[in-house]
């Protein structure tokens, strides 16, 4: 099993940047894919992006391509979500997730483990 701890959320002005971190512990991560999701008030959980731990392959939602970047640090067992050119519509609770399914799926139901979520607020 895997335990995930998120950090890095906060308040930022439109056009600014934030970097979210997710520290993973437990089973080896070599067999896992890691995903980022977000949920705005009154809306469902939306796929943001994912990374396969073994080779670093990534997949992004169209809404964030060119602005957000997912990366990993093997030594720190940490995945990052670098968010640039933030817009007010990016405001949401952001979640880190992990799955043993190695295909980079976009469906939240494919992920077995979840962090607690961290609030990102983008002001105009």
């Amino acid at each position: 099993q895997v335990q995930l701890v998120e950090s890095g959320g906060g308040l930022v002005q439109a056009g600014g940047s934030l970097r979210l971190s997710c520290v993973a512990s437990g089973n080896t991560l070599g067999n896992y894919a890691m995903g980022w999701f977000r949920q705005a008030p009154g809306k469902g959980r939306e796929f943001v992006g994912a990374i396969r731990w073994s080779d670093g392959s990534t997949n992004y939602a169209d809404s964030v391509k060119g602005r957000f970047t997912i990366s990993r640090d093997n030594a720190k067992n940490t995945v990052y979500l670098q968010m640039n050119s933030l817009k007010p519509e990016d405001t949401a609770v952001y979640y880190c997730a992990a799955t043993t399914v190695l295909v980079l799926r976009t469906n939240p139901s494919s992920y077995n483990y979840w962090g607690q979520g961290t609030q990102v607020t983008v002001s105009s």
Side-chain angles (χ1 to χ4, degrees):
Q1 60 181 10
V2 174
Q3 185 175 18
L4 307 175
V5 180
E6 301 177 12
S7 63
L11 175 65
V12 65
Q13 296 178 347
S17 299
L18 279 176
R19 189 190 198 191
L20 306 183
S21 300
C22 177
V23 179
S25 61
N27 292 345
T28 177
L29 298 178
N31 298 322
Y32 285 79
M34 308 293 295
W36 286 96
F37 294 80
R38 65 188 183 185
Q39 188 166 17
K43 297 184 178 181
R45 194 159 295 186
E46 176 189 13
F47 174 76
V48 175
I51 185 169
R52 188 159 54 230
W53 195 266
S54 60
D55 62 3
S57 298
T58 55
N59 185 29
Y60 298 96
D62 290 340
S63 60
V64 305
K65 285 182 179 178
R67 299 189 298 122
F68 291 9
T69 303
I70 299 174
S71 61
R72 74 198 196 284
D73 187 326
N74 293 335
K76 297 181 179 180
N77 293 323
T78 302
V79 294
Y80 303 97
L81 179 65
Q82 178 67 47
M83 303 183 293
N84 299 325
S85 302
L86 283 163
K87 307 173 182 179
E89 63 199 70
D90 295 317
T91 295
V93 177
Y94 283 71
Y95 297 90
C96 177
T99 177
T100 56
V101 177
L102 297 182
V103 176
L104 299 181
R105 297 185 180 275
T106 62
N107 193 330
S109 65
S110 299
Y111 291 80
N112 308 105
Y113 306 99
W114 293 84
Q116 77 286 353
T118 183
Q119 177 70 48
V120 172
T121 302
V122 184
S123 62
S124 301

